[in-house]
Amino acid sequence: MPPEFLAVGMASVQRPRGFYLLATLQSLFSQSTEEELQEMVVVVHLADTDPGWNVRVAAAITQKFARHILLGQLLLIHAPPEFYPTLEGLKRNFNDAEERVRFRSKQNVDYAFLLAFAANLSSYYLMIEDDVWSAKSFLTAIRKALASQEGSNWATLEFSKLGYIGKLYHSSDLPRLAHFLLLFYQEMPCDWLLVHFRQLLTQKDVIRFKPSLFQHMGLYSSFQGTVNRLEDEDFQANALDVPDNPPASLYTSMSIFENYEPLKAYSSAQGYFWGKDPAAGSTFSIVFQQPARVSRVRVRTGSVERPGDFLHAGLLELGQHRDRRQDCSSYVPVGSFKKGTLEQQGLERVLPGPVECVRIRVTQDQSEWLIIQSIDIWTTAGI
């Protein structure tokens, strides 16, 4: 049987308060089309130390999701306690309480067994927790994100900014990651180890896609039932609304502050563009590698930390007839910025035919610098 496109894995233990696993599974399945489900397998590691709890939860899952189990879309696993390294007398790094050290060390091993099991199930592996909502058609959004990273040597792609939620790996990296978690299981929490793993695989920057595809639903942590109000404000319930951002070169006439280069406003890498001394006539240009039919553009400028550094007055322009100077010879204005933001739809009707450049033009001098937080471009098929 050929491997699936995507395995979605989670480990689950008994919580002192709250139980979200069934709702998480329901969300994964109900937010996916039949076609998407055929390319996906969900793996749940029931990892509690109480065998009675594991059996009861397995029975509840089997009853509620019998169809998905019979179709091979849902697998339940359990690693026996004798497979675990010692969880007593561990190093108390970061001055963590003994109970906390035991909990996080066991969690690392729970994940290691899960990763080792999932290694040959699919081309890609998505790590989530047992208390999350999924966006509609998250699998299709992940496929789109992967296409945008073609040719790059990424180790981790992120579809949520929270903990272990929405982290995507090549399945071929899972045996190494499993070994890594086992080697350092008592040193630090899993999410810290995942960052070290990414960096060891020479991916320096976080590659995180917005909007986020997963949202935290649990109010109570699995550790001691503490209240945990983590939320991802970048979550969007419909994943099909993810921008295309075709491959492009970026140019600006503004001086760039430190390493806040133009690409950070356009790519999925974290960060933003920060330009010094924007003046009337200053430009920020996106020059597509291939002409595209642009249907919608959304630009956000400014930031919470620097509220004044937004585009006070400017236009969005679409360009055609690219010349040798990596610019377009003719531009059509299609919208103006209001309070630093712009969103224009239906642009394929405004400028029929292929667009080769998208340009932001400053229309009045401003004393504040300019932060461009994000530029999102949607395209339609056909040229």
Side-chain angles (χ1 to χ4, degrees):
M1 191 174 141
E4 307 291 352
F5 167 67
L6 184 69
V8 182
M10 70 196 85
S12 191
V13 296
Q14 194 169 176
R15 295 165 184 259
R17 293 193 285 178
F19 176 62
Y20 310 100
L21 176 58
L22 297 180
T24 298
L25 292 172
Q26 181 63 42
S27 180
L28 285 170
F29 294 130
S30 65
Q31 295 287 62
S32 303
T33 65
E34 282 300 319
E35 292 74 26
E36 288 167 337
L37 289 174
Q38 284 168 18
E39 299 188 87
M40 183 167 80
V41 58
V42 177
V43 187
V44 181
H45 181 192
L46 295 173
D48 203 75
T49 50
D50 172 7
W53 183 87
N54 294 325
V55 168
R56 286 192 302 276
V57 172
I61 290 172
T62 306
Q63 189 180 356
K64 190 171 171 63
F65 300 104
R67 177 173 168 267
H68 297 293
I69 290 172
L70 291 170
L71 289 171
Q73 294 166 356
L74 175 59
L75 305 172
L76 306 180
I77 65 168
H78 173 69
E82 56 268 27
F83 286 16
Y84 279 70
T86 183
L87 296 170
E88 302 302 325
L90 302 177
K91 290 159 68 177
R92 284 184 52 195
N93 294 346
F94 318 110
N95 207 27
D96 280 351
E98 205 172 312
E99 192 55 39
R100 173 79 204 160
V101 171
R102 187 188 298 115
F103 174 83
R104 62 169 165 77
S105 300
K106 179 184 174 297
Q107 190 175 49
N108 283 329
V109 184
D110 295 343
Y111 279 126
F113 288 138
L114 173 61
L115 297 169
F117 179 86
N120 297 314
L121 294 177
S122 59
S123 304
Y124 300 97
Y125 174 84
L126 180 75
M127 181 184 259
I128 65 167
E129 291 188 40
D130 65 349
D131 57 352
V132 298
W133 303 113
S134 306
K136 193 173 179 62
S137 285
F138 62 88
L139 182 140
T140 299
I142 288 171
R143 192 188 286 286
K144 210 170 177 181
L146 282 166
S148 76
Q149 294 297 313
E150 213 171 319
S152 76
N153 290 319
W154 60 270
T156 313
L157 301 183
E158 305 193 6
F159 295 91
S160 165
K161 68 177 192 184
L162 303 175
Y164 326 107
I165 298 175
K167 306 288 179 276
L168 189 79
Y169 297 92
H170 294 276
S171 294
S172 54
D173 285 335
L174 295 186
R176 275 195 293 185
L177 180 52
H179 281 129
F180 184 73
L181 293 180
L182 284 173
L183 266 175
F184 300 103
Y185 80 102
Q186 64 171 304
E187 302 300 332
M188 62 187 73
C190 184
D191 47 343
W192 295 11
L193 286 172
L194 296 179
V195 172
H196 285 294
F197 185 76
R198 165 174 63 76
Q199 292 168 339
L200 286 165
L201 268 58
T202 70
Q203 181 189 320
K204 187 165 61 77
D205 295 320
V206 170
I207 303 174
R208 181 158 83 83
F209 291 85
K210 294 181 191 174
S212 297
L213 301 181
F214 303 94
Q215 177 65 289
H216 198 260
M217 68 162 84
L219 178 60
Y220 300 108
S221 162
S222 48
F223 176 64
Q224 294 186 344
T226 50
V227 172
N228 181 4
R229 292 186 186 278
L230 288 175
E231 277 203 3
D232 188 335
E233 63 273 12
D234 295 323
F235 176 70
Q236 190 168 302
N238 187 354
L240 295 178
D241 198 28
V242 175
D244 299 294
N245 283 24
S249 302
L250 285 88
Y251 305 94
T252 181
S253 63
M254 289 170 269
S255 303
I256 301 164
F257 178 60
E258 292 183 353
N259 62 344
Y260 293 86
E261 58 261 3
L263 188 62
K264 289 191 171 169
Y266 188 67
S267 76
S268 44
Q270 272 191 322
Y272 48 77
F273 164 74
W274 205 352
K276 301 184 196 178
D277 307 318
S282 295
T283 57
F284 183 105
S285 304
I286 299 158
V287 180
F288 294 145
Q289 286 176 16
Q290 299 292 329
R293 289 194 69 200
V294 173
S295 58
R296 175 180 166 199
V297 177
R298 180 174 63 206
V299 183
R300 297 189 178 109
T301 72
S303 77
V304 176
E305 299 77 27
R306 297 270 179 175
D309 289 10
F310 67 93
L311 182 53
H312 294 211
L315 292 173
L316 181 77
E317 302 171 318
L318 301 184
Q320 294 178 313
H321 315 302
R322 194 167 81 200
D323 56 29
R324 279 196 291 275
R325 290 183 306 112
Q326 283 293 303
D327 196 6
C328 287
S329 56
S330 69
Y331 280 94
V332 174
V334 293
S336 57
F337 282 78
K338 308 268 188 303
K339 295 182 181 168
T341 62
L342 173 142
E343 179 155 7
Q344 292 290 127
Q345 303 197 30
L347 293 174
E348 73 280 14
R349 295 189 295 275
V350 177
L351 190 66
V355 169
E356 295 180 80
C357 308
V358 175
R359 185 168 79 178
I360 296 165
R361 187 159 57 84
V362 181
T363 52
Q364 73 178 41
D365 295 357
Q366 61 181 70
S367 53
E368 293 89 354
W369 291 2
L370 174 59
I371 287 174
I372 301 180
Q373 195 73 240
S374 61
I375 300 168
D376 299 323
I377 297 175
W378 285 260
T379 59
T380 58
I383 291 295

